[in-house]
Amino acid sequence: MNKNIPSPKDVSKVCDLSKPINKIVVSRGNPLAKLMIIGEAPGAKEEEIGEPFVGRSGKLLDKLLQNAGIDINEDVYFCNVVKCRPPQNRRPTKIEIQENLPWLYQQIKLVNPRVIVLVGATAFEAILKIKSRISLFRGKWIDWEGKLVMPVFHPSFLLRNPSKEEGKPMSLTKSDFLKIKEKIDFL
Ligand code: URA
């Protein structure tokens, strides 16, 4: 891991979102998995249950993984860039992302996955520091800190664009997950 990456300082606080009423949502899945999935931030369901990707988006994500033959309990570790739910499910601010990143880097270091999937624009920009349209990068393997990283569309975007037609986001994402399955089987 790059020496410039900061480590978490204050264990009592992740960022200003982690007020006492907000649950800190850390992870779901297998901490020994080769595949890490990183999303944006917990929503209402995630905050209630205390696990990432357990709401509507999570159900679709699970389905995409399972359709590709990936075991969601054995093969995957799920987490988010930001550990607490932003009010009204707004996008996390730059400051919130910066304050949460050291925790995410610690998770990556501990789990040490071979493959990382960046789900949606927030994870894509936060990790790769690329300010561009995710549609230009989705489905592509990128080398990051010696790991294979692939950005994919966020399932909440797919829920708003449910067409199954070839060339549309849903069918592109299905094929991205097939590529991911192929890669984890190969590694
Ligand atoms: N969206 C995310 O990015 N992460 C979650 O955990 C839930 C919804």
Side-chain angles (χ1 to χ4, degrees), residues 39-43 46 52-53 57 80 154:
E40 177 179 287
E46 286 75 22
F53 286 112
S57 292
N80 282 308
H154 197 285

Side-chain angles (χ1 to χ4, degrees), residues 20 32 40 48-49 52 75 81 85 87 91 95 104 109 115 124 130 134 138 141 158 166 169 172 175 178 180:
L32 301 174
E40 177 179 287
E48 181 196 326
I49 309 272
D75 300 335
V81 175
R85 178 185 173 210
R91 278 191 77 171
I95 291 173
L104 178 62
K109 200 168 153 187
V115 172
F124 165 64
I130 297 173
I134 192 167
R138 59 132 283 277
W141 289 114
L158 300 178
E166 209 178 307
L172 294 173
S175 62
L178 292 173
I180 292 159

Side-chain angles (χ1 to χ4, degrees), residues 83-131:
K83 308 302 182 207
C84 296
R85 178 185 173 210
Q88 283 83 46
N89 294 338
R90 62 157 169 73
R91 278 191 77 171
T93 64
K94 277 202 182 109
I95 291 173
E96 286 158 1
I97 292 169
Q98 276 321 110
E99 287 181 341
N100 277 265
L101 270 178
W103 299 90
L104 178 62
Y105 293 141
Q106 284 298 312
Q107 273 178 301
I108 297 172
K109 200 168 153 187
L110 290 168
V111 175
N112 196 21
R114 306 286 299 274
V115 172
I116 298 179
V117 172
L118 303 173
V119 172
T122 297
F124 165 64
E125 287 169 20
I127 289 288
L128 297 176
K129 319 286 183 213
I130 297 173
K131 190 90 186 113

Side-chain angles (χ1 to χ4, degrees), residues 64-92:
L64 287 161
L65 287 159
Q66 286 167 326
N67 282 346
I70 298 171
D71 184 323
I72 55 168
N73 298 309
E74 280 301 312
D75 300 335
V76 195
Y77 178 89
F78 299 85
C79 60
N80 282 308
V81 175
V82 168
K83 308 302 182 207
C84 296
R85 178 185 173 210
Q88 283 83 46
N89 294 338
R90 62 157 169 73
R91 278 191 77 171

